Amino acid sequence: MDAKLLTLVVVGVFLCTPMAFVDTDAADPGFDITDDDGNVFHFEGAANKIVACGLGTVLTIADAGAISKIVGVDKYSTYEYTKNEKLKDLDSIDLKSFYGETNHSGIKTELINMVDSGKLSLDDPIILTTYEANKILKEDLLDLGFTHVLRWATTSLGSYDDLISFVKNVTMIATGEEGTTIRDMESKVDQVTSVVSNIPEDKMSKALTVWCSASGDVKVTNKGISHSMIGVCNATHVGYDDSKGSYYGDVNTVISLLEENPGTVIFLSDKWASSGKTIEDFRNEILAGNTDFKIVQMGPQWNNYCPESADGLLEMAKALYPEEFGVTPEDDPTNSNGNGNMTM
């Protein structure tokens, strides 16, 4: 075929073919985050400044490498209160307690002052967790003109996936991407589930999570993060009662459950250790010296909405199924009879 004729044919084909052009400027950048109230908030990109209520939130942002973006926190998330080394460089305003509504007026006044002084804008995200009263505070802040007030009801938990989703959302707000934090959490969860999924029902370990205080009060930790962690570990939570709240019972309840369930692994809340108490203190003061049960002291952030909870999940799984995770008797700080201590 003549070259000129071939050229005309090709041009004709292009002229007869509908062409689709994409307007790249029309593409909507950013991402959407949906909070526990079902509200959808759009972000053009990573936040520049963040107000955070809840230690789990603050630690998640710190783990994402964005601690410098935090400009306001509740009193229980400060370095002075927690002495957590990850918060040593935290430079933010202490907004005091978010518990109840007593300090709501002070919080709102301080946030408005921060806007007036340029330390915050009405479009910067405010992340509220932990306290039920924050639902009221959220509405008040939205009425004041703040546009990105997100709330998560972290006092209860449906599944461990909800915790990972929360960490993912907060990390996205802080950095604009999931980053290595989420991948590391999911890797630990996959490691646990890949091992425990093969445990037959008649070989499932038993676990009991116990809330403790320095004064010696104990309760069964019922609903929440630790319950979901036991579920991921494919163990039986012997103290779980769907009809009861997050905590219930007393020392007699704990002892009764242990008598009914020999071989149960006891997980102590971090409050026991933070009050200066040891596992041996629990064994002597609560169990009257009974050495038939393995006792594990939980770390301070195992039961929190932050990446460190995945580390706790892996350690709980190892305590419940040491052989399956390759923990030999020599490596296990407890012996085969459950005697001894395990402090993570």
Side-chain angles (χ1 to χ4, degrees):
M1 181 180 292
D2 184 86
K4 291 183 179 180
L5 180 58
L6 177 60
T7 301
L8 290 173
V9 171
V10 173
V11 171
V13 170
F14 275 105
L15 290 174
C16 295
T17 302
M19 302 295 288
F21 296 94
V22 177
D23 183 1
T24 56
D25 293 335
D28 188 21
F31 52 90
D32 292 336
I33 299 291
T34 303
D35 71 356
D36 265 6
D37 296 320
N39 300 131
V40 180
F41 298 88
H42 183 73
F43 291 82
E44 297 293 338
N48 294 316
K49 299 174 182 177
I50 305 171
V51 173
C53 166
L55 179 58
T57 306
V58 176
L59 287 175
T60 296
I61 297 172
D63 285 336
I67 193 171
S68 61
K69 295 185 177 184
I70 304 175
V71 296
V73 296
D74 64 296
K75 66 176 291 185
Y76 303 112
S77 301
T78 62
Y79 173 73
E80 290 72 22
Y81 183 87
T82 65
K83 302 303 179 185
N84 190 305
E85 288 300 309
K86 291 186 177 182
L87 306 183
K88 197 168 185 178
D89 296 327
L90 179 63
D91 183 18
S92 64
I93 293 176
D94 181 358
L95 297 169
K96 308 304 179 185
S97 176
F98 281 59
Y99 180 76
E101 299 179 55
T102 305
N103 191 39
H104 279 192
S105 178
I107 294 170
K108 290 181 286 187
T109 299
E110 187 62 59
L111 291 176
I112 290 297
N113 289 338
M114 291 172 67
V115 173
D116 292 340
S117 64
K119 296 179 180 178
L120 186 70
S121 80
L122 291 173
D123 295 324
D124 288 325
I126 300 173
I127 303 174
L128 304 175
T129 66
T130 307
Y131 308 116
E132 186 62 29
N134 278 338
K135 189 170 187 178
I136 299 172
L137 180 60
K138 173 184 176 178
E139 296 303 320
D140 290 346
L141 292 174
L142 290 172
D143 289 341
L144 287 172
F146 290 95
T147 62
H148 287 68
V149 187
L150 301 89
R151 188 186 76 93
W152 277 273
T154 54
T155 51
S156 60
L157 185 73
S159 70
Y160 199 75
D161 286 340
D162 294 335
L163 187 150
I164 296 177
S165 177
F166 170 80
V167 173
K168 184 181 297 185
N169 284 328
V170 173
T171 302
M172 282 292 296
I173 292 171
T175 67
E177 58 184 12
E178 294 180 6
T180 59
T181 301
I182 302 303
R183 291 193 292 273
D184 185 54
M185 287 188 73
E186 293 176 335
S187 175
K188 288 183 173 67
V189 174
D190 290 342
Q191 181 182 354
V192 170
T193 55
S194 66
V195 174
V196 303
S197 60
N198 297 319
I199 304 295
E201 187 174 351
D202 62 340
K203 299 294 183 180
M204 288 173 59
S205 293
K206 297 179 180 181
L208 178 66
T209 52
V210 180
W211 176 88
C212 318
S213 73
S215 61
D217 294 332
V218 299
K219 295 179 182 294
V220 174
T221 304
N222 191 34
K223 299 177 180 178
I225 296 175
S226 59
H227 171 67
S228 70
M229 293 169 79
I230 292 172
V232 175
C233 291
N234 195 24
T236 301
H237 189 186
V238 300
Y240 182 70
D241 188 333
D242 189 52
S243 67
K244 292 182 169 60
S246 299
Y247 308 93
Y248 74 89
D250 54 21
V251 63
N252 293 322
T253 309
V254 170
I255 292 174
S256 177
L257 286 168
L258 292 175
E259 289 176 344
E260 296 169 4
N261 296 278
T264 293
V265 178
I266 304 170
F267 293 96
L268 299 181
S269 73
D270 67 288
K271 294 184 182 300
W272 185 259
S274 63
S275 65
K277 299 274 192 173
T278 68
I279 287 178
E280 279 307 305
D281 290 332
F282 183 88
R283 192 182 300 281
N284 293 327
E285 295 174 17
I286 307 301
L287 303 183
N290 190 325
T291 60
D292 293 337
F293 298 94
K294 176 188 291 186
I295 304 175
V296 179
Q297 176 60 68
M298 299 179 70
Q301 306 310 326
W302 290 16
N303 205 25
N304 206 341
Y305 274 67
C306 60
E308 286 84 344
S309 68
D311 299 323
L313 176 70
L314 181 57
E315 295 305 328
M316 287 180 73
K318 289 179 178 180
L320 290 163
Y321 301 107
E323 293 183 1
E324 285 75 5
F325 282 90
V327 180
T328 64
E330 293 77 18
D331 298 329
D332 194 342
T334 65
N335 63 33
S336 59
N337 294 322
N339 302 330
N341 305 327
M342 177 178 278
T343 304
M344 303 299 181

